[in-house]
Amino acid sequence: MKVPFVDLYAQYQSIKHEIDNAISSVIRDTAFIGGKYVEEFENNYAQKYGFKYFLGVGNGTDAIFIALKALGIGPGDEVITVCNTWISTAETISLTGATPVFVDIEPDYYNINADLIEEKITDRTKAIIPVHLYGQPANIEKVVEIARKHNLYVIEDCAQAHFATFNDKFVGTFGDIATFSFYPGKNLGAYGDAGGIGTNDEDLYLKMKMFARHGALKKHHHLIEGINSRLDGLQAAILNVKLKYIQDWNRKRYEKAMFYNDLLKDVQEIVTPQVRPNAFHIFHVYEVRAQMRDELMEFLKKNDIAVAIHYPKILPLQPAYSRLNHKPEDFPVGSAYQSQILSLPMYPELTEEHIQYVVQKIKEFYGYNS
Ligand SMILES: *Cc1c(COP(=O)(O)O)cnc(C)c1O
C-alpha cells in the first residue's frame, strides 16, 4: 500500500464536474482579474465566517503583511509571535521594518504559550500574532485579553485553521484582523496561490484594500504607495465551489484524527495530539511526538508512507534570525520538540485502511506484535 501525505487529486475527482464548470465559466466571462467570481467568493466567505468585510489577496503571506501595514506597524515597533510556525508569520513583521519577538509554545497544544506573552511586552510592542497551528485553536481568549490590557492589536494567522472553533466561535473572529491562506494543500485550498483577510473594522478594511491595490481605492488616485496583491478569478471560482464542502472536510479530518488516536493509544513511544477543551481542531496537520523520530521517519518512507515535519527548526534558531542571537534554551519546549515532532498523512479522503496500515508500520517499527 502507498499512503501519500495529502491527495489533492482525490478531492478534485469528488467535485470534478462543479470545478470544471466553474473554471470554464471564468474563461467564458474572461473574468480573470476582479469581477463577479471574486466578489462572490469574498461575499460568501464573509457571510459564512461572520466577518463584515473580507478581502481576497494574492496569498497568505501577503495577507499578514497587508494587515500589519494597515495597522501602521513599521520601523522601531515590535510584534510578538510564536517560535514554531511557518516563516510567513515572522518575515512579514520584519518586512514592515518592525522586529519579531518570539514566544515559546505550550507543551500540550503546540501553540503560543499565553502565559509567556506579558514578559515580552515592551513600550515598543504594537501587536500580537497568534497562529492557530495545525488547525488547533490557540489560547485565543487569553491572548486577546492580554492584548486589550496593553492596548495591542491582534492579527490571527488562520492559514491552517479555516472554520476551526473555540467556545463555538470561529478562530479569526476574536482579534482585530484574521488572515487566511488558500495554498493548495491547506484545508481550503485553491489551484494556485490565494489568500484572504477578514475583519469587522471598516477603516482597517479600507486601508488594507487600498494598500493591496497600489494605494488606490479609486483607479489612478494613489493616496499612498502600496503593492499589487489580488485573488484572481479562477482561484475565486474554485474556492467558491470548495467553500460548500470545507466544514464537511474538516469534520472528516477530525474523525480520521480520532481514529489514529485510538489505534495509537497503546503505543508508548508516540504522543498523540490532544484537543484543547472547547475547541474544534480541524487537523490541517496530524502531528505526533515520536521516540527515535528520524529512524521512524526513514522506516515509514521505506514503506511508502509519506510523512513531514512541521517544523524541523523553530524560527528563532533559523539562520534568517541569527541577528536576534537566540539560543535553544530561550525556547525550551519548542527546541526540545523539534527533534520529536512528526506529521502523519492527513486529508479528508484518507481511508481507514490507510490509517490502519500507517499504525501497523509504526507498531512494527517499535517491535509490537500486532
Ligand atoms: C501557509 C501559511 C502561511 C502563508 O500562506 P501562503 O499562502 O503560502 O503565503 C502563513 N502562515 C502559516 C501558519 C501558514 O501555514
Side-chain angles (χ1 to χ4, degrees):
M1 193 183 296
K2 209 177 162 91
V3 191
F5 191 66
V6 294
D7 188 347
L8 301 180
Y9 192 67
Q11 187 178 76
Y12 166 65
Q13 281 176 309
S14 72
I15 50 171
K16 180 177 188 310
H17 187 67
E18 281 182 277
I19 293 279
D20 291 355
N21 276 342
I23 292 174
S24 355
S25 304
V26 176
I27 298 172
R28 185 198 57 217
D29 297 339
T30 63
F32 299 121
I33 298 291
K36 72 174 181 189
Y37 299 96
V38 175
E39 266 173 43
E40 206 174 294
F41 177 66
E42 287 176 337
N43 291 336
N44 288 344
Y45 201 84
Q47 194 178 32
K48 200 167 174 138
Y49 221 99
F51 290 124
K52 277 201 193 133
Y53 307 97
F54 188 78
L55 178 70
V57 297
N59 55 64
T61 308
D62 281 2
I64 305 167
F65 181 57
I66 294 163
L68 287 162
K69 291 296 284 188
L71 294 173
I73 287 161
D77 295 336
E78 291 175 358
V79 177
I80 292 174
T81 192
V82 61
C83 68
N84 189 42
T85 176
W86 178 240
I87 190 167
S88 304
T89 322
E91 71 186 347
T92 47
I93 297 169
S94 308
L95 265 179
T96 68
T99 303
V101 175
F102 294 106
V103 172
D104 204 2
I105 56 171
E106 307 161 293
D108 293 338
Y109 308 120
Y110 310 128
N111 272 314
I112 190 167
N113 188 335
D115 294 333
L116 305 176
I117 291 177
E118 277 190 302
E119 65 196 55
K120 303 272 174 130
I121 296 175
T122 70
D123 53 9
R124 292 166 172 250
T125 310
K126 290 284 161 16
I128 308 173
I129 311 184
V131 181
H132 303 289
L133 197 74
Y134 307 151
Q136 166 105 280
N139 190 0
I140 189 63
E141 287 184 348
K142 181 83 189 281
V143 172
V144 171
E145 187 188 309
I146 294 167
R148 295 300 170 242
K149 185 172 142 198
H150 295 272
N151 239 326
L152 309 174
Y153 296 111
V154 176
I155 299 171
E156 293 179 65
D157 182 346
C158 306
Q160 304 189 1
H162 325 74
F163 297 96
T165 65
F166 183 64
N167 281 338
D168 296 321
K169 266 180 71 170
F170 291 133
V171 301
T173 60
F174 293 83
D176 300 289
I177 300 177
T179 64
F180 297 87
S181 167
F182 304 116
Y183 174 84
K186 299 287 158 83
N187 286 33
L188 180 58
Y191 288 178
D193 276 313
I197 314 174
T199 185
N200 289 327
D201 184 314
E202 185 181 16
D203 180 53
L204 284 178
Y205 167 73
L206 292 173
K207 279 184 177 153
M208 293 193 288
K209 190 167 175 175
M210 180 165 77
F211 184 70
R213 305 280 178 272
H214 303 288
L217 286 171
K218 221 168 79 192
K219 204 165 188 186
H220 302 305
H221 195 71
H222 306 282
L223 297 178
I224 56 167
E225 288 178 308
I227 60 169
N228 172 22
S229 185
R230 302 187 275 235
L231 170 67
D232 70 65
L234 281 169
Q235 304 310 335
I238 289 161
L239 289 167
N240 252 324
V241 172
K242 289 189 161 200
L243 187 58
K244 291 189 280 188
Y245 301 101
I246 176 62
Q247 285 171 293
D248 183 42
W249 290 331
N250 283 345
R251 268 189 297 278
K252 289 205 168 109
R253 285 174 182 266
Y254 183 85
E255 284 160 18
K256 316 279 167 200
M258 293 306 114
F259 191 59
Y260 263 125
N261 277 5
D262 190 46
L263 294 184
L264 285 166
K265 69 174 182 294
D266 300 324
V267 182
Q268 263 117 50
E269 293 84 353
I270 296 278
V271 180
T272 55
Q274 292 184 53
V275 178
R276 187 189 304 284
N278 302 319
F280 178 51
H281 183 332
I282 63 161
F283 288 96
H284 172 57
V285 164
Y286 181 83
E287 196 82 356
V288 298
R289 296 207 313 282
Q291 288 177 25
M292 298 192 289
R293 192 269 317 268
D294 293 343
E295 291 84 352
L296 172 64
M297 191 160 74
E298 278 317 301
F299 181 79
L300 294 176
K301 281 182 182 165
K302 254 188 237 134
N303 284 283
D304 279 334
I305 297 166
V307 293
I309 302 173
H310 296 92
Y311 295 92
K313 191 176 256 189
I314 55 171
L315 293 178
L317 303 182
Q318 289 276 1
Y321 295 100
S322 58
R323 65 181 183 279
L324 300 176
N325 291 314
H326 281 301
K327 306 175 294 299
E329 306 85 85
D330 298 339
F331 309 94
V333 181
S335 56
Y337 282 10
Q338 67 188 17
S339 57
Q340 303 166 15
I341 51 179
L342 181 67
S343 315
L344 300 180
M346 172 54 75
Y347 50 92
E349 298 77 16
L350 190 69
T351 65
E352 292 205 340
E353 290 71 34
H354 281 137
I355 297 173
Q356 278 158 343
Y357 176 71
V358 174
V359 173
Q360 181 201 323
K361 288 295 159 192
I362 291 174
K363 285 183 160 178
E364 198 178 305
F365 173 77
Y366 289 119
Y368 288 74
N369 33 355
S370 42

